[in-house]
Amino acid sequence: MNNVDPELVAREQAQVRERVERGLRRRYRAERRFRFYGLLAALSGILFVGFLFFSIIGTGYTAFAQTYIKLNISFDPELIDPTGKRNGAILRDGDFNGVVKRSLRARFPGVAARSELRELYGLVSGGAAFELRDMVLADPALIGKSQELWLLASDDVDQLVKGKNDRELSADQRVVSDMQFAWLDALGADQRVEKRFNWIFFNSADSREPEQAGVLGALVGSFLTLAVTLFLSFPIGVAAAVYLEEFAPANRLTDLIEVNINNLAAVPSIVFGLLGLAVFIKFFGVPRSAPLVGGLVLTLMTLPTIIIASRAAIKAVPPSIRDAALGIGASQVQVVTHHVLPLAMPGMLTGAIIGMARALGETAPLLMIGMVAFIADVPGSFTDPATVLPVQIFLWADSPERAFLERTSGAIMVLLAFLLIMNAAAVILRQKFERRW
Amino acid sequence: MQTSTLLLALLLLMALAYRFGRARSLRLAGGPRGIRRLHSLPSYYGLLTAIWCGLPALVVVLGWQALDDRIIAGDVVRSMPGAVMELSPGELSLVVNDVRNVVAGNVPAASVSPEIAAAAERWQRLESLSRIGAAVLALCVALAGGWITLLRISPALRARNRVEQLIRIALLSCSMIAILTTVGIILSVLYESVQFFRLVPVTEFIFGTQWSPQLAIRADQVGSSGAFGAVPLFAGTLLISLIAMGISVPVGLFSAIYLSEYANRGFRAITKPVLEVLAGIPTVVYGFFAALTVAPLLRVTGERFGLDVASESALAAGVVMGIMIIPFVSSLADDMITAVPQALRDGSYGLGATRSETIRKVVLPAALPGIVGGVLLAVSRAIGETMIVVMAAGLSANLTANPLEAVTTVTVQIVTLLVGDQEFDSPKTLAAFALGLMLFLVTLLLNVIALQVVRRYREQYE
């Protein structure tokens, strides 16, 4: 045994311990830092979601209210029905705009200058005249009477009442003039300005005037397009999945099909739009802008999603069930139609709903095939020109009118609500019918 | 007869054929008791009859539909006065359109020239004739098909095998649609691109640095020649994708690590679905968010620091695109991290490593190939993303690496070139297809590489 100085050993041990502890402290610090970065990343994801929803809902919730102005309307026969015959065709051409203007002048008799009158008429929407016309057409007895009526306010007034048009700005920076302020304040003091639930937003199609624009046309367009998509992509997708899982021999062709499906799932959606433009519209002559061609393009786009989901659902059916059926003499097709398909159906439907939700939110390929037109009618068939909800959002987001801003956000909220419902349905379906074998 | 009525009639005939086929097989077997003598169940004989009744007739109807419009148009043109035959194809199609409009009732017959009105009348007569012809032919084919099958039914006929053979063919053709789609994409994009490259040389397209596709209407107009050098577009796409990856890779990767290695069950149960919400939001919503909220925010922030941020800056589009891709990266990374065997982690803990050291030095290197594959997929998605850049990025081609300036991307240009009415022979429209070809090739390449990498990696630990 060497003669070792115990003091030296102790000192060395202390040094080592200190070094290790220092290292440990550093390593634990690194550990905490690393963990903090992870937490930060996860929280920032949540933050983004919150910020996104906050900004959309914050600008959009006002779209569900609309301002109305109460005026004393006199249905002057002179303007509406100069012939006095109460004939529908003549009534239809009656000067209802004049009726509105006259009642505005009667309300503010002091206004005379032409430019001031134009500003005064700007308080009420151009759509008010159509409402009056419809009232008179429904009840011609109104002619000659006068009534207190709530009229649709114009978009600028509407924005002002909702507090989105800053009164603080100098006159040349805002859309609403000082005089319009004064008139509105006078009307407001009389309890003649009111905000109501915006039914127009839900029961009319697009319009150049924000206060008359609604999402119904786009919703119906989306519905028709998705109907085509579902009708084509679900049967085809399920059939392809069944073939690949149950029948396909292991050969080159099968490999090729699989590679193609996987690649198509990752092809940018805009390329499908190019395909639709070149093949469906140019080559086959399908009408442009129609839900039919939109549905066809979205079918090709959602097929990979549905095929992949359906294959997973078929794979989840245990082989023992197939073996049992085959064992008692069923053919392969019978095994599939009697046993595998019913058992895999919930999974397939879940995949179909998710595919449909993706198709509902898709915009880019539809721009290519002309579904971006301004369409003021609700489409009635699969070949009518139509637009869909996301494209409507895109169109409104491009509009310069301020009032379209809140309507864009409102339309986004409608779209997100539909997506939420579809995804919730998928989750419920999965939880209710999913079987673990 | 309308096509829909015809199809309905065919359906009815098929139902009848099913009944007859089934009944005949039962009768041949000598009633329900003799069913053992049949090769297949009676319903298979019925199905076989119905299929052979409906299928050929359906083919006839579809073929007729595809051809009759062209044949009628050709015949009407030939019947028109001789001057029409000498018109150029463009003018000819205008005339045909006029006739079509009269036929469809969009234009009253009284308002057009007598030649057109006569042609329209001929068209209508031919059309009704063709409809009747189609109906008669289809119904005859259906009856004949059903009848022949009915006659061939015998107890020895292997009806089930035949029906199942047909079902297999139907299933196979459904899965062939995937191949057809790819072929369709390649052909349609390639065909238009080749036409484009006839007008503009490939080298100019790929290496040119000037992009101004607006063509002049008159030859003497200033700036009349469109320039089709796509380098600024590629650079813009790359810049925005890089910004997007710069946001999504760290955030996605770290949140995947935190959620799979650190987070407790409760936190994970809340955070994961919330992150997945990001994946379900339509891109048009992100585009609106980028243009409405993020871009102004960045500009105000930039002003505070004395920076001049364009209102359509690459940064705004890139950041929002990054947010969109976060869930994509994080779910792929999560898959890859959980695929690393627990034994590797245990070994590392056993050597005294801390959690973060285990993750950094053992788990991440093991999962690296998979994560790289996932990132490549994310890049391909960023390159192909359209709505965010259409709404939040610029339109003018700008060759710069400064993220605060406005740049444009390949997808933005495709949309701006193709939205609205277009003719198929102007280089402007064709350029969109050439860009589409580039987009398709690049994303295809990225996807193929990424899928290969991911697949090889998954096999490694299975």
Side-chain angles (χ1 to χ4, degrees):
Chain A
M1 288 292 272
N2 289 350
N3 215 351
V4 183
D5 183 4
E7 216 170 280
L8 197 70
V9 171
R11 210 163 58 225
E12 259 178 21
Q13 276 178 345
Q15 271 175 352
V16 167
R17 191 177 301 129
E18 199 196 342
R19 210 161 55 229
V20 166
E21 272 173 1
R22 211 167 42 225
L24 267 183
R25 272 202 299 279
R26 185 175 45 77
R27 285 170 63 200
Y28 285 150
R29 263 206 308 280
E31 169 77 23
R32 276 197 300 276
R33 213 162 42 231
F34 192 78
R35 192 179 171 144
F36 174 72
Y37 292 150
L39 185 64
L40 202 67
L43 287 181
S44 66
I46 295 181
L47 191 78
F48 288 141
V49 176
F51 187 38
L52 183 76
F53 277 86
F54 180 77
S55 108
I56 298 286
I57 294 174
T59 48
Y61 76 98
T62 48
F64 300 108
Q66 168 66 38
T67 308
Y68 284 80
I69 296 175
K70 189 152 116 185
L71 286 175
N72 187 16
I73 297 285
S74 63
F75 292 97
D76 193 340
E78 213 178 288
L79 289 170
I80 302 170
D81 191 15
T83 58
K85 284 186 190 148
R86 303 288 188 269
N87 180 323
I90 295 174
L91 287 183
R92 211 173 285 278
D93 288 340
D95 184 11
F96 291 94
N97 251 324
V99 172
V100 175
K101 287 177 181 173
R102 193 171 281 195
S103 77
L104 277 168
R105 277 206 302 274
R107 177 77 209 163
F108 299 103
V111 186
R114 189 174 274 241
S115 62
E116 289 177 4
L117 275 175
R118 197 179 305 133
E119 284 182 11
L120 180 62
Y121 299 153
L123 291 181
V124 175
S125 159
F130 296 110
E131 276 175 44
L132 293 181
R133 187 189 70 188
D134 291 345
M135 281 177 67
V136 170
L137 283 175
D139 180 15
L142 279 173
I143 297 173
K145 293 183 184 157
S146 53
Q147 236 176 0
E148 293 273 320
L149 285 174
W150 287 101
L151 297 182
L152 190 61
S154 73
D155 54 329
D156 294 334
V157 170
D158 182 48
Q159 293 299 298
L160 181 71
V161 171
K162 287 171 182 166
K164 299 212 168 178
N165 221 326
D166 234 339
R167 283 180 185 240
E168 321 286 287
L169 292 174
S170 68
D172 52 332
Q173 273 183 314
R174 40 167 214 240
V175 228
V176 182
S177 71
D178 286 334
M179 296 185 63
Q180 285 176 317
F181 271 130
W183 294 325
L184 265 181
D185 287 341
L187 285 170
D190 253 8
Q191 311 272 314
R192 281 174 176 274
V193 179
E194 186 181 278
K195 274 195 288 183
R196 299 190 195 163
F197 185 74
N198 191 358
W199 284 111
I200 297 172
F201 188 65
F202 291 100
N203 59 25
S204 59
D206 196 8
S207 166
R208 294 279 184 225
E209 302 297 327
E211 72 273 10
Q212 296 175 53
V215 292
L216 183 67
L219 272 181
V220 173
S222 273
F223 176 77
L224 291 174
T225 309
L226 283 192
V228 175
T229 309
L230 185 63
F231 181 74
L232 290 174
S233 66
F234 187 59
I236 295 178
V238 168
V242 165
Y243 178 77
L244 290 174
E245 282 301 315
E246 301 283 334
F247 296 104
N251 60 15
R252 280 244 179 108
L253 181 67
T254 310
D255 275 350
L256 189 66
I257 293 174
E258 296 212 6
V259 168
N260 269 300
I261 290 173
N262 285 335
N263 277 327
L264 282 181
V267 165
S269 61
I270 191 170
V271 174
F272 286 98
L274 292 175
L275 169 77
L277 180 61
V279 172
F280 294 134
I281 291 181
K282 192 187 164 197
F283 191 73
F284 286 118
V286 183
R288 181 186 285 271
S289 306
L292 180 63
V293 65
L296 285 171
V297 169
L298 292 182
T299 297
L300 296 184
M301 219 195 73
T302 44
L303 256 184
T305 317
I306 293 184
I307 293 177
I308 291 169
S310 300
R311 288 186 72 174
I314 293 174
K315 245 185 217 151
V317 176
S320 58
I321 288 181
R322 293 185 186 86
D323 296 342
L326 286 171
I328 54 167
S331 70
Q332 258 190 314
V333 173
Q334 282 171 326
V335 171
V336 169
T337 51
H338 296 176
H339 302 285
V340 176
L341 276 188
L343 289 173
M345 199 43 86
M348 291 175 168
L349 285 177
T350 312
I353 294 175
I354 290 170
M356 288 302 114
R358 264 193 61 191
L360 175 61
E362 198 52 67
T363 322
L366 301 180
L367 299 182
M368 305 285 92
I369 52 172
M371 292 188 92
V372 278
F374 168 75
I375 289 149
D377 295 317
V378 177
S381 80
F382 292 110
T383 48
D384 281 354
T387 188
V388 294
L389 200 48
V391 178
Q392 185 74 75
I393 290 168
F394 171 65
L395 286 172
W396 282 354
D398 250 10
S399 301
E401 285 92 348
R402 238 190 106 74
F404 269 127
L405 193 69
E406 61 172 32
R407 276 169 173 75
T408 313
S409 300
I412 287 177
M413 284 158 74
V414 173
L415 177 64
L416 290 181
F418 272 98
L419 289 176
L420 192 73
I421 292 170
M422 290 171 87
N423 281 307
V427 169
I428 289 170
L429 202 66
R430 189 182 298 159
Q431 280 176 351
K432 194 148 191 182
F433 292 101
E434 192 178 53
R435 288 169 76 166
R436 297 242 171 241
W437 302 89
Chain B
M1 202 190 269
Q2 289 289 327
T3 315
S4 49
T5 345
L6 183 59
L7 289 179
L8 221 68
L10 278 181
L11 229 67
L12 204 73
L13 269 182
M14 282 174 73
L16 280 177
Y18 175 79
R19 293 291 303 259
F20 281 133
R22 194 168 173 275
R24 186 173 157 79
S25 71
L26 270 174
R27 205 172 55 248
L28 286 176
R33 294 187 157 203
I35 207 164
R36 281 157 175 270
R37 275 193 274 152
L38 289 176
H39 170 270
S40 314
L41 288 171
S43 61
Y44 280 103
Y45 293 95
L47 270 178
L48 190 66
T49 322
I51 290 174
W52 282 118
C53 168
L55 200 63
L58 209 65
V59 172
V60 166
V61 172
L62 289 181
W64 193 291
Q65 285 270 314
L67 291 178
D68 84 332
D69 199 56
R70 275 172 217 185
I71 294 176
I72 291 178
D75 183 85
V76 167
V77 168
R78 269 194 301 283
S79 79
M80 285 173 83
V84 172
M85 298 299 286
E86 282 142 34
L87 293 174
S88 71
E91 287 170 312
L92 193 62
S93 78
L94 276 182
V95 171
V96 172
N97 244 344
D98 281 350
V99 178
R100 259 178 223 274
N101 272 333
V102 177
V103 171
N106 297 338
V107 178
S111 69
V112 294
S113 67
E115 289 86 27
I116 302 258
E121 204 174 303
R122 190 184 169 88
W123 188 301
Q124 265 160 340
R125 213 172 51 241
L126 284 175
E127 202 171 54
S128 59
L129 205 68
S130 135
R131 281 212 191 116
I132 294 171
V136 170
L137 187 65
L139 293 180
C140 283
V141 168
L143 286 175
W147 189 251
I148 292 171
T149 322
L150 215 54
L151 288 182
R152 288 186 53 203
I153 288 178
S154 70
L157 181 71
R158 300 159 76 84
R160 184 172 92 171
N161 304 39
R162 296 199 173 193
V163 170
E164 294 190 344
Q165 191 62 39
L166 288 172
I167 290 179
R168 269 172 199 241
I169 293 174
L171 292 179
L172 173 63
S173 40
C174 279
S175 38
M176 295 290 278
I177 285 181
I179 297 182
L180 275 185
T181 310
T182 313
V183 172
I185 288 176
I186 294 174
L187 282 188
S188 60
V189 178
L190 203 61
Y191 177 73
E192 313 285 353
S193 304
V194 167
Q195 287 191 318
F196 173 72
F197 289 133
R198 261 190 220 139
L199 299 168
V200 178
V202 186
T203 44
E204 189 197 320
F205 178 70
I206 295 181
F207 300 112
T209 53
Q210 281 297 319
W211 177 266
S212 61
Q214 293 308 327
L215 286 183
I217 298 162
R218 294 191 322 273
D220 56 340
Q221 216 163 309
V222 181
S224 64
S225 65
F228 292 97
V231 168
L233 311 189
F234 299 149
T237 309
L238 203 66
L239 178 62
I240 290 183
S241 304
L242 273 181
I243 298 170
M245 297 329 285
I247 298 272
S248 62
V249 169
V251 175
L253 197 58
F254 267 104
S255 53
I257 290 171
Y258 187 79
L259 289 181
S260 61
E261 303 278 336
Y262 287 108
N264 57 20
R265 197 176 284 256
F267 187 80
R268 196 179 153 94
I270 295 172
T271 313
K272 258 201 129 168
V274 171
L275 279 182
E276 271 159 26
V277 165
L278 281 176
I281 292 175
T283 52
V284 68
V285 177
Y286 281 112
F288 182 65
F289 176 65
L292 172 86
T293 313
V294 178
L297 195 73
L298 286 177
R299 208 172 56 179
V300 171
T301 321
E303 265 168 23
R304 186 156 303 165
F305 293 107
L307 290 170
D308 189 22
V309 184
S311 58
E312 294 184 319
S313 64
L315 193 60
V319 166
V320 173
M321 197 188 278
I323 294 176
M324 184 196 83
I325 301 176
I326 289 173
F328 192 74
V329 175
S330 81
S331 76
L332 267 168
D334 194 34
D335 278 0
M336 300 306 152
I337 289 170
T338 38
V340 174
Q342 184 63 30
L344 286 183
R345 292 189 184 85
D346 292 344
S348 166
Y349 292 144
L351 289 174
T354 64
R355 262 180 168 176
S356 65
E357 282 160 356
T358 307
I359 292 166
R360 268 183 297 153
K361 304 213 165 115
V362 176
V363 177
L364 280 187
L368 195 63
I371 290 174
V372 168
V375 169
L376 283 183
L377 279 181
V379 171
S380 119
R381 184 168 268 216
I383 290 175
E385 171 47 44
T386 311
M387 290 321 291
I388 294 177
V389 281
V390 166
M391 294 170 85
L395 283 179
S396 60
N398 191 357
L399 190 56
T400 174
N402 181 357
L404 303 182
E405 279 183 45
V407 295
T408 191
T409 72
V410 173
T411 48
V412 172
Q413 289 304 318
I414 294 177
V415 169
T416 41
L417 292 176
L418 281 188
V419 166
D421 285 328
Q422 65 286 120
E423 335 117 71
F424 267 103
D425 48 0
S426 95
K428 209 177 121 184
T429 312
L430 297 175
F433 283 91
L435 289 175
L437 178 68
M438 300 306 289
L439 187 65
F440 180 71
L441 288 181
V442 171
T443 50
L444 187 72
L445 192 72
L446 281 173
N447 291 335
V448 170
I449 295 174
L451 287 176
Q452 281 297 327
V453 170
V454 170
R455 187 192 289 173
R456 199 166 297 167
Y457 164 71
R458 280 215 178 109
E459 280 162 4
Q460 203 177 340
Y461 290 116
E462 261 165 16

